[in-house]
Amino acid sequence: LVLSIHVFPDQVADFSGEVMVESERWILGETVSTKERLLRKNGYYIHKGDVAFQFINPVEKVGTPEEMNYLNMERFADISGKEILEPLDYDIESIRSPENPDGYERASATIVALARNEDFDELAKTILSFEKMFNAKFQYPYTFLNDGTFSDNFKKGMQALSKAQMEFVTIPESLWQMPPHIDKKKAKQQMNKLSKSGIKYSKDFSVNNMLRFFSGNFYHVPEMKKYRYYWRIEPKVSFFTELKYDVFKYLQGTGKLYGFSISLYDNPLTVETLWPETMGFLNEGSNFQYVNKKGSFQWLTENQQLPGVNAKANGYSTCHFWSNFEIGDMNFFRGEAYSLWFQHLDTTNKFYYERWGDAPVHSIGLGLFADKSKIHWFRDIGYFHYPYYNCPKAENTRGCLPGQFSESLELQDRNCLQNWIDYSIDNLNKIY
Ligand code: GDP
Ligand code: MN
């Protein structure tokens, strides 16, 4: 017997409402995980491994995937045609850059960059552009993280680029290294398979270590613990917008938990069972209670634009916030819901057997455990990481083409920002 329970997102919202069990309607009470009660009611037997608490996407089909993609592209172009400047949902005047950064009372925040000594040249370029566009005015401290040791040249060279404080940190091995119980042979086989599909990997598993570190550990680095907010930057990225307000104080003032710039589909081969494993977690004990009633369920389960991708990822749209740019509240990741879920994910070993990335992991965590109105599209920040852009039409943005998502037409259908706008933003005009 295959049992599937379809819970509509807004009804999941209060854990009550109508539920479909094999085409029969049942009213769901407080206790979905109430699994048992529900099953008894229906006289069904549930097989080991079956999932009782799950989300399905209730969106009506509007067209073929090609039509959906075209439609979304057109609508995104329309939106991008509007001139914007700064967020409208907060008193930006109250968080303007100070005349003099020396006496400025900063938020509890750091700019964080993971790098190796050989990344110096590329990271230096990022820092120079970042200083020019934002940090020279605010002087938020930098935290450089490395699984190895930063050389004196790296440290001296970096410090010469900014007046802001800098800390150079070697990540504790326990937060970085592959856990000892991983079967290296099995992991290697999977990475070889992925490499044939053009997915980035490394023979020494350093890519896996890096993805797992960003997924569940960067905010536990001792030197990071003194901060609440972070802005992640990387080598080889560009910033196009001259920012004149304090983005950390914007998050703090609005109570927002996370800000992103670009949102795109992932390669489902790297996250084949991330969604089912997550459903497994939600079905353990009373874990379903961690789900935020105002989560981004439709965005997570969307299957209109690239249905094949959703199918390969077993119900996850693979839409994610691109994590090379993140401005976030680490208290969210340090919190109970995200921590327990990450621990569950980690015990599956699939950061190594499947190559789960930190971007989909952060995104699913946020989509499930955060109120969607607390996730912010930094529409105003022009940004590029090969091969994708966020480029606003704004007077303080120069050097990119407004609305451009990618230089390559073939990659246009990877953009899923329109879905975020449709499903997770109440009224975009109130935010920008
Ligand atoms: P991609 O954008 O997904 O291709 O990944 P990147 O190569 O940009 O890596 C992401 C970030 O992690 C960058 O800031 C890199 O400098 C850094 N990084 C990646 N692998 C390692 C590693 O093994 N050690 C250290 N210290 N940094 C790494
Ligand atoms: Mn990168």
Side-chain angles (χ1 to χ4, degrees):
L1 171 68
V2 178
L3 178 84
S4 77
I5 299 180
H6 297 177
V7 181
F8 291 95
D10 52 334
Q11 292 161 338
V12 166
D14 25 38
F15 297 111
S16 65
E18 269 180 354
V19 169
M20 302 288 286
V21 182
E22 297 243 320
S23 315
E24 286 178 54
R25 276 168 194 277
W26 290 92
I27 304 299
L28 194 63
E30 263 294 275
T31 42
V32 167
S33 164
T34 69
K35 186 151 129 182
E36 250 119 78
R37 209 174 93 199
L38 194 77
L39 297 176
R40 239 182 288 127
K41 242 183 176 175
N42 288 281
Y44 286 131
Y45 168 74
I46 190 163
H47 288 287
K48 205 171 163 222
D50 279 353
V51 166
F53 185 81
Q54 63 173 223
F55 305 93
I56 63 139
N57 194 303
V59 175
E60 299 257 340
K61 276 224 180 311
V62 177
T64 64
E66 290 72 26
E67 285 163 348
M68 280 309 294
N69 183 36
Y70 187 76
L71 197 70
N72 282 348
M73 223 156 62
E74 264 197 332
R75 290 162 63 229
F76 187 69
D78 267 359
I79 285 173
S80 306
K82 183 186 162 192
E83 191 141 349
I84 59 135
L85 192 57
E86 292 163 333
L88 303 170
D89 59 349
Y90 194 70
D91 176 14
I92 297 291
E93 293 310 321
S94 70
I95 52 171
R96 285 282 171 221
S97 44
E99 305 238 315
N100 177 358
D102 288 344
Y104 182 57
E105 218 174 288
R106 293 174 196 87
S108 170
T110 185
I111 318 298
V112 63
L114 178 74
R116 290 152 294 204
N117 289 317
E118 60 263 35
D119 295 319
F120 182 87
D121 288 349
E122 287 297 338
L123 189 57
K125 283 189 227 160
T126 296
I127 304 275
L128 282 174
S129 140
F130 188 73
E131 283 285 313
K132 184 165 161 244
M133 296 305 191
F134 176 75
N135 206 37
K137 297 193 260 307
F138 296 96
Q139 292 185 14
Y140 273 99
Y142 289 88
T143 308
F144 295 92
L145 303 176
N146 188 354
D147 56 310
T149 314
F150 285 117
S151 67
D152 285 341
N153 278 344
F154 186 100
K155 296 185 210 174
K156 275 197 207 117
M158 282 300 165
Q159 191 62 75
L161 305 176
S162 166
K163 286 184 188 151
Q165 248 183 52
M166 291 186 172
E167 235 179 324
F168 300 90
V169 177
T170 299
I171 298 163
E173 280 195 16
S174 60
L175 299 180
W176 179 272
Q177 287 302 337
M178 174 194 259
H181 49 271
I182 303 283
D183 178 345
K184 285 195 180 173
K185 214 172 136 192
K186 186 170 167 184
K188 195 152 245 154
Q189 277 167 358
Q190 166 70 353
M191 293 314 122
N192 284 338
K193 203 174 107 194
L194 291 181
S195 75
K196 288 187 190 116
S197 314
I199 294 166
K200 183 175 157 175
Y201 82 112
S202 53
K203 286 208 170 76
D204 60 358
F205 301 108
S206 67
V207 168
N208 304 76
N209 293 344
M210 182 268 285
L211 297 173
R212 175 173 171 268
F213 171 74
F214 270 128
S215 295
N217 282 331
F218 78 92
Y219 43 85
H220 291 318
V221 171
E223 287 80 355
M224 294 292 286
K225 282 191 179 157
K226 56 180 175 277
Y227 301 112
R228 176 167 173 192
Y229 295 97
Y230 71 104
W231 183 338
R232 177 175 160 190
I233 61 168
E234 269 201 4
K236 298 190 187 176
V237 302
S238 313
F239 296 95
F240 304 114
T241 304
E242 201 182 319
L243 284 167
K244 293 177 178 147
Y245 67 96
D246 187 328
V247 296
F248 297 115
K249 288 190 179 174
Y250 170 77
L251 286 197
Q252 191 159 21
T254 54
K256 294 187 180 187
L257 300 172
Y258 186 85
F260 70 95
S261 164
I262 290 165
S263 176
L264 69 158
Y265 292 101
D266 212 340
N267 189 321
L269 294 177
T270 64
V271 287
E272 271 186 86
T273 64
L274 178 55
W275 188 248
E277 290 289 2
T278 298
M279 291 303 112
F281 168 76
L282 294 180
N283 278 284
E284 261 170 33
S286 51
N287 287 342
F288 71 93
Q289 290 181 50
Y290 289 119
V291 174
N292 191 297
K293 296 174 179 184
K294 296 183 179 152
S296 321
F297 313 128
Q298 273 178 282
W299 178 74
L300 287 172
T301 56
E302 179 274 335
N303 61 355
Q304 303 292 294
Q305 191 172 318
L306 296 176
V309 167
N310 181 307
K312 279 192 201 128
N314 293 297
Y316 171 37
S317 64
T318 76
C319 199
H320 60 281
F321 312 121
W322 216 17
S323 58
N324 47 68
F325 175 114
E326 298 185 305
I327 307 176
D329 181 345
M330 288 184 277
N331 286 349
F332 171 79
F333 298 111
R334 290 166 181 150
E336 192 170 287
Y338 188 90
S339 299
L340 287 177
W341 173 62
F342 173 75
Q343 280 164 28
H344 174 92
L345 294 183
D346 204 27
T347 57
T348 69
N349 297 338
K350 289 180 181 172
F351 285 99
Y352 297 88
Y353 299 161
E354 225 168 72
R355 213 215 76 144
W356 292 343
D358 57 306
V361 172
H362 286 183
S363 302
I364 291 180
L366 285 154
L368 292 177
F369 308 130
D371 179 329
K372 59 189 169 192
S373 71
K374 301 297 179 206
I375 301 171
H376 180 71
W377 173 30
F378 273 107
R379 182 179 177 184
D380 55 324
I381 305 183
Y383 176 73
F384 174 75
H385 176 300
Y386 179 82
Y388 301 114
Y389 290 88
N390 179 60
C391 185
K393 185 170 180 181
E395 67 178 36
N396 58 343
T397 294
R398 267 174 299 262
C400 57
L401 202 67
Q404 180 167 20
F405 172 67
S406 168
E407 271 153 20
S408 156
L409 270 178
E410 270 159 50
L411 295 175
Q412 293 305 319
D413 66 355
R414 312 314 295 181
N415 191 0
C416 60
L417 196 47
Q418 189 57 49
N419 293 323
W420 178 259
I421 296 168
D422 287 344
Y423 301 144
S424 301
I425 299 183
D426 264 351
N427 184 351
L428 184 58
N429 291 326
K430 279 195 185 150
I431 306 179
Y432 282 100

